[in-house]
Structures are given as structure tokens and as C-alpha cells.
Amino acid sequence: MKNMTCIEDLRQAARRRVPRAFYEYADGGSYAEQTLNANRKDLEGINLRQRVLVDVSNRSTATTILGEPVSLPLALAPIGLCGMQHGDGEILACRAAHAAGIPFTLSTMSICSIEDVAASVDKPFWFQLYVMKDRGFVRSLIERAAAVKCSALVLTVDLQILGQRHRDIKNGMTVPPQWRLGNIVDMASKPLWLLSVARGKRRTFGNIAGHVRGMENFNSLSHWIAGQFDETLSWKDVEWIADQWQGKLILKGILDVDDARMAAKTGAAALVVSNHGGRQLDGAPSSIAALPPIVEAVGSSIEILFDGGIRSGQDVMRAIALGARACLSGRAYVYGLGAGGQAGVTRAIEIIRNELDVSMALTGVKSIGEIDRRVIAN
Ligand code: GLV
């Protein structure tokens, strides 16, 4: 892993090791991928302000998220199907996050179940929830997350219908999944991946299989999930969720100031400024463009987290400078997972930590609390 010097190295390694359908599921965005690309382009367009001759010894990247100490202003974002990037992917990523002193978010659409992960790690993790049509099932997911003492519930609010991902359709990542000859040949040509997935606990949606009657195989599960997107989803449902969940609630997927104002009124502990990694409304602004007005409107009443395009410590610094408390990162660690399992996720976090630390030194700041617009050059 030492030769992996940046997230792009991990991405290239993941591209070689993971079957194309799963690699592109994580890597891609919706439609023309304009928003996916804007997330990166707009972050890269923010120049940092070099300062010199400032004593920057004794720096620290430590801070708090939702009042909990973290070693770095970063949490691993919820990503579906991590266990298809590497066997037991969710468990490995959670272990790497915890060892690094940052939160891990388990997706509803994970391969390892809530209980699998809880039994394999010794600290609480966050759980991401979709509100599905079957509210009884949603309630049972919340109860299961509470039973294993998940420390926050991350409610995804931007996916009541799925943005089309052209790459997924072309790769047969559809409902039901298409087991084309090309996919099978591709998988067969990735022996390390095959071995890790064969050794993993599961190869289907662990939170759902065995918990919904008759839903055991991948085909019936994918059909069930596709029928569960709920177009009626509204702020009333957020209230309902808040009533069911006694712990900290995070609303993920806010991109508009008016929605941020509504979110701040729900009593949620935090919101995540996010366009779902450019996977939903193509043509929506980049997350970093959406961040400052949201911070200005509600930053004093709700904690503001950020995701969308984070590939480096410099990016984390940019988001914090514009008012985020911390960032979530999905693809960066998923590339690490595909490239090398737990060691790859550890490497991804280390890369971002080192880059943030050096960027702090070179912009003349010693603590996360000191990062503000003064570190921005333009
Ligand atoms: C699900 O959240 C996805 O973006 O695929």
C-alpha cells in the first residue's frame, strides 16, 4: 500500500481488481455526469492561501462531530454494496474507520447486515436509512440500529426516485441484475476479488434478506428494493422518523437553502450538504457551490456536514474553510477497499489525513477550529 500515494492511485488499483460492474457502480454518476464532474471541478477551483514563517509545530487534525471526538474531520459515507468491492467490505471499512478514530456509516443497501458489522467491531457506527414504502420494515430497521447502539441515524432524503446511471444499465447492474457472459468472464478474470467475495459472509443485501418474507435471492431482492422507492416522501416522514429514533439524526442530501431551513426546524443534529455524489439530479450545482449559502442561512442552528467530490485533505480543508464542520467521503474509501480491503481503506484515510495536516502547516493553521475563509486565496 505504500506505493499508493494518492486517492487516484487507489482508484486505478480498484479499477484493475474489481469487476467492472461493481467498480463503475461506485465510480459513476447519473445521466451526463455533469454534477459528478462539477463536484470535483469546483473543489479544484478553490485556491488555498500559502502562508510562511508561522510556527506550525504541535498541529492537530482532531475535532468533534456531533459532539464526539474524532481524529480527523471526516466520516466514511454510506455506500451500497461495499461487500461487492471486497468480501466483508462493510466490516473491513468500519474497522479501518474506527482504528483511525473516525465514524463509519453503514448503508441500508449493504451486503453485511447491521448485526454482522456490530458483532465484528467494538465501537458504535452510524446507520444510513432509506424511507421505503414498507414503513413496517423501516421501523424494524430503526429498531435494529437502536438494538446494536448505532450512534447516529443518517436519513437519506434525496432518493425517492433513482437518477438513471447509464453505466449501470450498460453493465447489467439493473433490476433484475443481468448475468451476462461478459460479466461472468470479467469476474472470473479477477481471482483475488473472487476469493475475497467467496470468503465473505454474504453475497446479497444483508439488511433485507431474511427480514422480508420471500426475499432471499438477489433477483427477488432487487425487485423488492426497486418497488420500495417512495415518491410520497415528505417532511412529515422526517417527523415520523425523528419520533421513532431517540438518538442523533442526520439529514443527508440537502442542496438548497429553503430545504436547509426546513431541515434545521426538524430537530435533527446535523444535515449533510450533498447531491448524492452526482448520482441523482444531474445538472444540480456542485456540493461545494451549495455549501456557503446553506452555512450562512442555518449554520448557527444545525451542524453542517459536507460530501461530494472529496478526494484529498486539501478538499477537506476547502469544505471546512467554507463552513462545514466535517466531510463525508464515499468513493475515496471505496477505491481503497477495492484496491486492498481493510489496508486500502486505512491507506485512503491516512492519505487524506497527511494531506490535511501538511495543508494546515502550509496555510499556517494549527487546529481545525482555525480553518476558515482566511485559508482561501481567491
Ligand atoms: C444509492 O444510494 C446509490 O447512489 O446507488
Side-chain angles (χ1 to χ4, degrees):
M1 281 294 140
K2 287 292 165 208
N3 285 341
M4 301 281 147
T5 59
C6 58
I7 299 298
E8 183 59 24
D9 286 347
L10 294 171
R11 180 179 186 226
Q12 293 307 331
R15 199 162 62 87
R16 289 190 297 271
R17 281 182 67 140
V18 176
R20 189 167 76 195
F22 296 118
Y23 168 78
E24 292 208 325
Y25 164 72
D27 190 63
S30 57
Y31 301 99
E33 301 190 335
Q34 285 177 9
T35 298
L36 172 82
N37 294 326
N39 279 348
R40 291 288 316 124
K41 197 165 139 272
D42 289 355
L43 277 166
E44 283 168 355
I46 299 172
N47 290 328
L48 297 172
R49 183 170 166 219
Q50 173 177 299
R51 299 301 308 277
V52 298
L53 301 177
V54 182
D55 176 355
V56 288
S57 56
N58 302 316
R59 291 180 309 288
S60 168
T61 58
T63 180
T64 60
I65 306 179
L66 304 176
E68 298 292 327
V70 290
S71 72
L72 187 67
L74 186 75
L76 301 193
I79 301 280
L81 297 172
C82 277
M84 286 290 138
Q85 304 291 339
H86 190 285
D88 288 341
E90 292 86 4
I91 292 173
L92 302 182
C94 188
R95 285 188 180 145
H98 285 176
I102 63 172
F104 169 76
T105 320
L106 183 70
S107 163
T108 293
M109 299 304 165
S110 56
I111 299 294
C112 295
S113 69
I114 301 175
E115 293 78 12
D116 294 338
V117 179
S120 311
V121 301
D122 49 19
K123 277 188 268 176
F125 51 92
W126 295 356
F127 180 66
Q128 174 269 341
L129 182 73
Y130 282 119
V131 185
M132 294 175 268
K133 279 188 188 155
D134 183 342
R135 296 293 200 272
F137 181 65
V138 172
R139 189 177 314 122
S140 81
L141 277 176
I142 296 175
E143 284 165 7
R144 289 165 62 194
V148 303
K149 303 199 164 34
C150 285
S151 48
L153 189 70
V154 180
L155 180 65
T156 298
V157 296
D158 59 2
L159 202 132
Q160 67 271 54
I161 187 169
L162 195 69
Q164 174 172 306
R165 293 100 191 241
H166 298 332
R167 299 204 226 177
D168 286 354
I169 295 173
K170 294 190 167 89
N171 290 329
M173 286 282 287
T174 48
V175 179
Q178 293 173 24
W179 298 107
R180 299 175 182 158
L181 184 62
N183 291 58
I184 294 165
V185 171
D186 185 29
M187 288 183 198
S189 71
K190 308 279 190 311
L192 292 174
W193 174 88
L194 265 181
L195 195 66
S196 89
V197 169
R199 284 192 183 142
K201 284 192 200 318
R202 296 175 195 275
R203 278 155 293 281
T204 185
F205 296 101
N207 288 325
I208 302 168
H211 295 271
V212 178
R213 201 186 295 272
M215 296 299 143
E216 298 304 335
N217 68 47
F218 210 85
N219 278 15
S220 56
L221 272 168
S222 333
H223 269 300
W224 184 81
I225 292 166
Q228 284 295 323
F229 294 109
D230 189 348
E231 297 183 16
T232 72
L233 205 62
S234 76
W235 289 101
K236 280 250 165 286
D237 298 290
V238 177
E239 252 174 60
W240 178 74
I241 300 283
D243 284 345
Q244 312 284 314
W245 173 255
Q246 305 315 318
K248 291 171 185 163
L249 180 65
I250 303 175
L251 300 182
K252 175 174 169 288
I254 303 288
L255 209 59
D256 186 89
V257 170
D258 288 345
D259 290 339
R261 290 206 176 94
M262 300 285 280
K265 287 191 202 135
T266 60
L271 63 83
V272 187
V273 174
S274 171
N275 49 34
H276 211 107
R279 300 163 74 80
Q280 285 293 93
L281 178 63
D282 197 33
S286 68
S287 293
I288 200 71
L291 177 65
I294 291 179
V295 171
E296 192 179 323
V298 298
S300 55
S301 51
I302 186 167
E303 200 157 299
I304 297 190
L305 307 176
F306 172 88
D307 78 17
I310 296 288
R311 298 287 185 282
S312 68
Q314 291 85 329
D315 292 337
V316 172
M317 175 172 258
R318 289 166 170 134
I320 291 181
L322 293 182
R325 174 91 208 163
C327 299
L328 272 63
S329 178
R331 291 186 180 91
Y333 87 82
V334 166
Y335 298 143
L337 186 62
Q342 184 171 338
V345 179
T346 299
R347 188 74 188 127
I349 300 168
E350 254 173 32
I351 288 171
I352 293 176
R353 185 197 305 285
N354 292 337
E355 290 167 340
L356 177 61
D357 176 59
V358 170
S359 303
M360 287 170 68
L362 297 178
T363 54
V365 298
K366 292 167 71 151
S367 68
I368 298 299
E370 283 175 56
I371 301 176
D372 60 18
R373 280 180 184 262
R374 283 171 298 180
V375 306
I376 292 179
N378 46 354

